[in-house]
Amino acid sequence: MKKIDEIAARSARRTGINSGPGRMLVAVYGLLGLAATGRSIMQIAQTWPDQHLPYWLSAVAAVVYLVATIALARGDRASARVASATISFELFGVIAVGIWSYVDKAAFVAAGSAGDTTVWSKFGQGYGYVPLILPILGLWWLRRNRTLDTTS
């Protein structure tokens, strides 16, 4: 009986990556995934066959957000590893594309337009910098839950 009580107490202390604030992460990742998917589909469809780099970067961002959404929503250990890898890649992408979009503005300008932005260009400025803040929160949440899981 004591063993069952210990397991119940450990379970009560532990939160899954898809519970509590993790649900909000799933929702925000899902929303960004849908927004980036819609944006990239429209951009690519409207300019076919003359594709521009920013449109493909938006498509990459969409895939990253959708994979992270599914991994966070599943919430098991394997999914947590996938989420961690995906969110780490996202943070790298936001920083790399953010820097690139300031350093080489010509890469983000198509003929006749003021600028072709991506979800990650200018560190996610067009999305209220959520693409920059979200992976930091996501990695913190995953690390926090990993710590709870190993200390329980």
Side-chain angles (χ1 to χ4, degrees), residues 16-63:
I17 63 171
N18 61 354
S19 64
R23 289 183 184 185
M24 183 60 77
L25 280 174
V26 171
V28 174
Y29 268 103
L31 182 63
L32 273 176
L34 291 174
T37 299
R39 178 183 197 139
S40 63
I41 288 172
M42 290 302 297
Q43 288 174 324
I44 291 169
Q46 289 175 347
T47 61
W48 190 263
D50 299 321
Q51 300 307 301
H52 301 286
L53 177 67
Y55 306 157
W56 290 105
L57 291 173
S58 287
V60 169
V63 170

Side-chain angles (χ1 to χ4, degrees), residues 62-139:
V63 170
V64 168
Y65 288 129
L66 293 174
V67 170
T69 301
I70 293 166
L72 288 168
R74 288 197 51 185
D76 57 24
R77 286 180 191 239
S79 295
R81 286 191 294 273
V82 170
S84 182
T86 305
I87 294 170
S88 296
F89 177 81
E90 172 196 0
L91 182 59
F92 171 78
V94 170
I95 291 170
V97 172
I99 292 169
W100 185 15
S101 65
Y102 280 109
V103 171
D104 185 12
K105 293 179 182 177
F108 291 86
V109 177
S113 76
D116 294 329
T117 60
T118 72
V119 177
W120 293 343
S121 61
K122 297 184 180 179
F123 303 105
Q125 180 182 28
Y127 287 82
Y129 298 101
V130 171
L132 178 62
I133 297 165
L134 191 62
I136 296 167
L137 292 174
L139 290 172

